[in-house]
Amino acid sequence: MSVIENSKLAIVGAGAVGTSLAYAALIRESAREVALYDINSAKVAAEVLDLAHGTQFTGASRVTGGDDLDVVSGANVVVITAGARQHPGQSRLEMAGVNVEILRDLMPKLVERAPDAIFVLVTNPVDVLAVAAQQFSGLPPARVFGSGTVLDSSRLRWMLSERVGVAISNVHALIVGEHGDSEFPLWSQARIGPISLADWMLARSEPGVARSGVTASPGSVPFSEAEFESIADEVKNAAYKVIEGKGATNYAIGLSGARIVEAVLRDEGAILPVSSVLTDYRGVSGVALSVPSVIDAGGIARVIDVPFSAKEQALFEHSAATLRASLDTLGLA
């Protein structure tokens, strides 16, 4: 499916995440125009120039930008990456207060300049900020949402693909809930190709021996509950590990952000676990959490009511309570 003609992606923030997203959007040809904004005029001018120098190799895309907020005018999608940087050992929720105040000032100005845009938050804590941005913008939740656990789910799928030895495109698994310490894998709905993970677990290690309709591949070993817990913990702490080693996460979040943009600009109807303000989703309302959502040109077309196990329901309610406590502290509830 082709990109909407004359589509424009505006990125607010020319830091590590914003520039990686701009680069990913250019090489993936996510939009016809990529506009980059930042208050640091020298930095944003240099980033725009560096990106523009490579546009010979990126198809028909063009790059604009600067320190004047008017560069976002007329954008179809605005991705907000600006905010306080997460430091080693710092939780996403600890950054909430500073970034909420940034959005309080920023959102009305962005809506004024791009009144028809879909707004995507890629700043942490993304679930708290999705609520804040939606409130400050006055727009419906369908048009203001966070990148949520799209990247976390990609991390999970990569780990599972490495574990079972199949292509990552054939692993179907999601992280839901908070993008943070209370997130969790939706194991009950995970699949390897057409095979449920529960059935995959039952496959015996001897090649050619079938159980529950599944034939084990040579050398395969079923998952254990301890391994599930280890994988979930590794996904949850992946960002902290990257930040400890290099100071920031940027490449993977840039790619996942570009993927969300494409789902909007190409009117795909893609199912992605983005974070939006929920209304009576499995009993949860008023907080933004990541659940499978249909993304098209209007933003979130609908959230999908996915079956949860009893344990997953309890974890989801815990995640909601965690976010609600933060919202209460910030006066956003």
Side-chain angles (χ1 to χ4, degrees):
M1 189 178 297
S2 61
V3 177
I4 295 173
E5 186 177 1
N6 297 323
S7 59
K8 180 176 179 178
L9 162 64
I11 301 169
V12 178
V17 173
T19 53
S20 293
L21 202 156
Y23 179 63
L26 283 173
I27 62 175
R28 290 173 60 90
E29 298 184 20
S30 304
R32 176 67 180 83
E33 177 182 354
V34 176
L36 190 61
Y37 165 80
D38 199 281
I39 59 174
N40 186 332
S41 57
K43 175 73 158 61
V44 71
E47 294 289 2
V48 169
L49 196 60
D50 195 13
L51 290 166
H53 288 164
T55 51
Q56 173 190 343
F57 314 110
T58 62
S61 299
R62 64 188 293 258
V63 185
T64 59
D67 63 351
D68 186 336
L69 201 56
D70 284 344
V71 301
V72 310
S73 296
N76 302 97
V77 178
V78 177
V79 178
I80 301 165
T81 71
R85 183 176 178 179
Q86 187 174 6
H87 299 291
Q90 183 183 38
S91 75
R92 297 178 177 102
L93 290 179
E94 288 172 337
M95 296 184 292
V98 174
N99 289 342
V100 164
E101 292 310 309
I102 291 173
L103 286 181
R104 192 186 301 275
D105 175 68
L106 188 61
M107 286 308 301
K109 296 176 181 177
L110 292 175
V111 173
E112 179 183 1
R113 289 165 173 79
D116 299 319
I118 304 302
F119 294 86
V120 182
L121 281 295
V122 189
T123 304
N124 283 318
V126 71
D127 307 294
V128 170
L129 297 183
V131 174
Q134 191 267 318
Q135 290 185 11
F136 300 152
S137 69
L139 297 174
R143 288 182 55 196
V144 186
F145 55 90
S147 55
T149 57
V150 174
L151 174 54
D152 307 80
S153 296
S154 179
R155 289 168 173 152
L156 175 64
R157 294 180 185 194
W158 174 75
M159 290 177 191
L160 291 174
S161 73
E162 291 289 297
R163 166 65 170 78
V164 302
V166 302
I168 192 171
S169 59
N170 292 317
V171 177
H172 310 287
L174 296 173
I175 297 287
V176 297
E178 176 198 4
H179 172 58
D181 296 340
S182 68
E183 68 183 32
F184 62 96
L186 200 60
W187 291 125
S188 67
Q189 303 303 315
R191 307 187 75 83
I192 307 296
I195 304 166
S196 72
L197 202 55
D199 278 344
W200 190 280
M201 288 173 62
L202 292 174
R204 293 164 60 179
S205 58
E206 294 84 6
V209 178
R211 192 171 175 187
S212 295
V214 182
T215 301
S217 59
S220 67
V221 178
F223 288 93
S224 66
E225 288 299 327
E227 188 175 9
F228 279 145
E229 293 178 7
S230 176
I231 290 171
D233 188 65
E234 190 171 349
V235 170
K236 182 175 66 177
N237 292 300
Y240 301 135
K241 185 175 182 179
V242 174
I243 291 168
E244 182 181 2
K246 57 176 274 188
T249 60
N250 58 303
Y251 298 129
I253 186 61
L255 285 164
S256 61
R259 178 67 191 94
I260 297 168
V261 168
E262 291 160 11
V264 175
L265 292 180
R266 297 172 184 175
D267 195 21
E268 287 185 4
I271 298 175
L272 297 169
V274 296
S275 176
S276 63
V277 180
L278 301 176
T279 300
D280 196 24
Y281 185 90
R282 303 199 65 83
V284 170
S285 297
V287 299
L289 293 173
S290 293
V291 295
S293 306
V294 179
I295 311 298
D296 63 13
I300 297 178
R302 65 187 178 97
V303 294
I304 301 173
D305 188 6
V306 182
F308 284 15
S309 69
K311 180 180 179 180
E312 289 164 349
Q313 179 67 30
L315 289 171
F316 190 67
E317 291 172 4
H318 169 67
S319 204
T322 299
L323 267 298
R324 190 170 288 112
S326 185
L327 294 173
D328 287 341
T329 300
L330 296 164
L332 294 172

